[in-house]
Amino acid sequence: MNKQPNIFNKFNFQYSSPRTCPYINGQKEHLLFTDLTKFVNKKTLEELVIKGFRRSENIFYKPNCKTCNSCISTRIQIKKFKHSSSFKRIDKINKDLTIKIRKPKSKLSHFKLFKTYLKFRHTSGEMKQMTYLDFRTMIEISPVKTKILEIYYKKELMGAILFDIYQNSLSAIYSFFNPQYKKRSLGTFLILKLIDFAQSINKKYLYLGYYVEKCKKMSYKIKFKPIEILTNNKWGIFEKEN
């Protein structure tokens, strides 16, 4: 393994066993991860995010594949973000929805919508087998300040996005929504509302996770401009045309 920045000396990192890649057919996924069950200050955790790590409950991880570097970390520049005509249209279509930001407490309505989302959008993968207890753990277990942004049509839950709050940024962890309302583009709308929230509390970045060019499900991320990608441990503007 190549010499890493000093932050890597602060944690006990381990390597995962290879498993089926969730993004590219025929590939195996290898992860570098650390368990942060014990208290770690928020600034240090944000350093991990800046280095391309993602959070799942108390685990921070990043791809460590020897023969593939397709997973590219992304983040939106909040202060320079501008709504495209497409984003303005999505905002207008969804102006009848109510936005709520809450503590990350799971509800049965969350879980039912989550299962509906998986049924239509992710027909395979480990999440399909999740129980309500698994779901509660995903939503509620976190070593950092976490919130959930919900969208409602009247009293109907339409979608939600779980996110972490750091000193200079937000990090989107997971979103799910009702896939039957295709014209509303609810997945994009959730991110737009999270950008609005980031602007309202003066954050610099919104981390969106990994962009994988070969995975069409990830293509939406590069539509949020200006968006930066992490290459060779340096962040820079992603220039590729959609």
Side-chain angles (χ1 to χ4, degrees):
M1 184 175 177
N2 296 332
K3 186 177 180 180
Q4 299 285 4
N6 289 336
I7 186 177
F8 285 81
N9 297 327
K10 300 179 182 179
F11 304 100
N12 178 27
F13 286 98
Q14 300 180 55
Y15 299 96
S16 71
S17 299
R19 61 180 185 178
T20 301
C21 177
Y23 308 123
I24 303 175
N25 290 334
Q27 291 278 58
K28 292 292 184 179
E29 178 186 64
H30 300 254
L31 299 176
L32 177 69
F33 70 94
T34 184
D35 186 340
L36 298 181
T37 301
K38 295 183 179 180
F39 174 78
V40 180
N41 70 66
K42 184 166 62 174
K43 183 178 179 180
T44 302
L45 292 177
E46 188 167 20
E47 289 182 56
L48 281 174
V49 177
I50 292 170
K51 295 298 181 184
F53 281 81
R54 299 285 292 154
R55 184 184 71 79
S56 176
E57 299 170 25
N58 286 323
I59 302 296
F60 278 71
Y61 67 91
K62 70 182 300 186
N64 188 55
C65 303
K66 306 302 181 184
T67 60
C68 179
N69 58 359
S70 295
C71 293
I72 302 172
S73 295
T74 61
R75 68 184 186 186
I76 300 169
Q77 291 187 2
I78 294 300
K79 293 183 179 180
K80 295 183 179 180
F81 176 77
K82 294 183 179 179
H83 282 69
S84 64
S85 57
S86 175
F87 291 156
K88 290 178 181 177
R89 177 185 61 80
I90 292 170
D91 270 335
K92 185 176 181 180
I93 291 173
N94 293 297
K95 65 181 180 180
D96 58 341
L97 301 186
T98 301
I99 312 300
K100 295 181 181 180
I101 297 178
R102 303 179 182 274
K103 293 181 179 180
K105 295 295 183 182
S106 60
K107 305 174 184 177
L108 188 57
S109 59
H110 286 143
F111 184 62
K112 289 180 178 179
L113 182 58
F114 171 73
K115 297 296 280 188
T116 299
Y117 171 76
L118 292 181
K119 181 179 179 181
F120 282 86
R121 298 296 294 266
H122 297 279
T123 55
S124 60
E126 296 179 357
M127 281 191 164
K128 190 176 180 180
Q129 308 302 321
M130 286 176 67
T131 65
Y132 183 47
L133 179 59
D134 296 328
F135 178 77
R136 284 188 63 186
T137 301
M138 180 181 78
I139 296 294
E140 298 179 9
I141 300 299
S142 174
V144 67
K145 185 176 181 180
T146 302
K147 297 282 188 179
I148 188 165
L149 184 152
E150 304 167 340
I151 52 176
Y152 289 86
Y153 175 69
K154 297 181 179 179
K155 293 185 178 181
E156 179 186 358
L157 178 66
M158 299 284 280
I161 184 166
L162 187 72
F163 64 96
D164 292 341
I165 303 175
Y166 295 98
Q167 182 176 342
N168 295 308
S169 63
L170 302 181
S171 180
I173 301 302
Y174 194 77
S175 65
F176 53 95
F177 51 88
N178 193 326
Q180 298 179 61
Y181 295 93
K182 293 182 179 180
K183 292 183 178 180
R184 284 185 178 269
S185 300
L186 294 176
T188 297
F189 183 67
L190 283 166
I191 295 174
L192 290 174
K193 295 303 102 182
L194 198 49
I195 291 171
D196 288 347
F197 179 65
Q199 290 173 335
S200 73
I201 57 174
N202 200 33
K203 300 301 181 183
K204 293 181 179 179
Y205 303 106
L206 169 58
Y207 289 87
L208 283 186
Y210 302 119
Y211 165 67
V212 181
E213 185 176 8
K214 296 179 182 179
C215 181
K216 292 183 179 179
K217 293 178 182 179
M218 296 292 190
S219 62
Y220 71 91
K221 296 182 180 182
I222 58 174
K223 295 179 180 179
F224 295 89
K225 298 180 179 180
I227 192 163
E228 296 183 359
I229 61 172
L230 182 65
T231 54
N232 298 320
N233 288 319
K234 293 183 179 180
W235 287 96
I237 297 294
F238 186 60
E239 302 289 354
K240 183 176 179 179
E241 295 294 330
N242 293 337

